[in-house]
Amino acid sequence: MCKELTAAAVLIPLMEIDPAMRQNLLGSQEREFATAMAIHVYLRLRRHFRFCRYGVEASLKEVVEQIGDTTWTAPDQIITAFASAGAADSAAASNYLAQENPQIHFRHL
C-alpha cells in the first residue's frame, strides 16, 4: 500500500543542506544546484522509503526531477530566504519547499 509523501518527510533533508550549497541557488547555475539538492533529498529518503508512481517503483530520475522542479519553480523570495544565513528565514523557506513538493508516493521498506 502506498501513501502520499508528507512535507515532514521532505523537510528534514532540506534543512540539512549546507548553507554554502543554498547560496549557489542564487547564481547562474541554479538549475544544476536545484538538481543536486533534489538528489540529496532523494538519497536521504530512500533509506526508509520506496518511491512509487502509478503502482510501480519510480526511478531516481523521476523523483529527482519532481523535487528539483519544485525548487526550480519556487518564487524568487522563497529561494532568497532559503539561501539566507538567517535560521528563521531559511527554515520557513524549507517548509514552503517541502509543502510544495509534488505528490510522490512512498512505501516503508
Side-chain angles (χ1 to χ4, degrees):
M1 177 176 170
C2 292
K3 299 177 184 175
E4 289 188 7
L5 180 65
T6 64
V10 176
L11 182 60
I12 293 171
L14 281 173
M15 292 185 72
E16 292 174 343
I17 295 171
D18 184 68
M21 176 66 116
R22 293 172 187 233
Q23 287 288 323
N24 289 326
L25 284 172
L26 302 174
S28 61
Q29 297 178 338
E30 57 274 329
R31 179 63 181 177
E32 288 82 6
F33 288 107
T35 300
M37 288 178 16
I39 291 170
H40 167 78
V41 171
Y42 173 82
L43 291 175
R44 287 281 286 132
L45 293 175
R46 76 174 185 152
R47 297 176 191 173
H48 306 288
F49 304 106
R50 179 165 298 144
F51 293 91
C52 304
R53 292 188 74 193
Y54 312 113
V56 297
E57 189 167 348
S59 69
L60 165 79
K61 182 180 178 192
E62 290 174 308
V63 177
V64 166
E65 281 180 355
Q66 286 193 13
I67 296 170
D69 286 348
T70 299
T71 304
W72 176 247
T73 59
D76 288 341
Q77 68 267 26
I78 295 297
I79 297 303
T80 301
F82 185 71
S84 79
D89 288 341
S90 183
S94 295
N95 189 50
Y96 173 89
L97 293 172
Q99 296 286 337
E100 291 297 312
N101 264 289
Q103 295 302 312
I104 304 168
H105 292 82
F106 68 89
R107 284 187 287 210
H108 279 282
L109 291 178

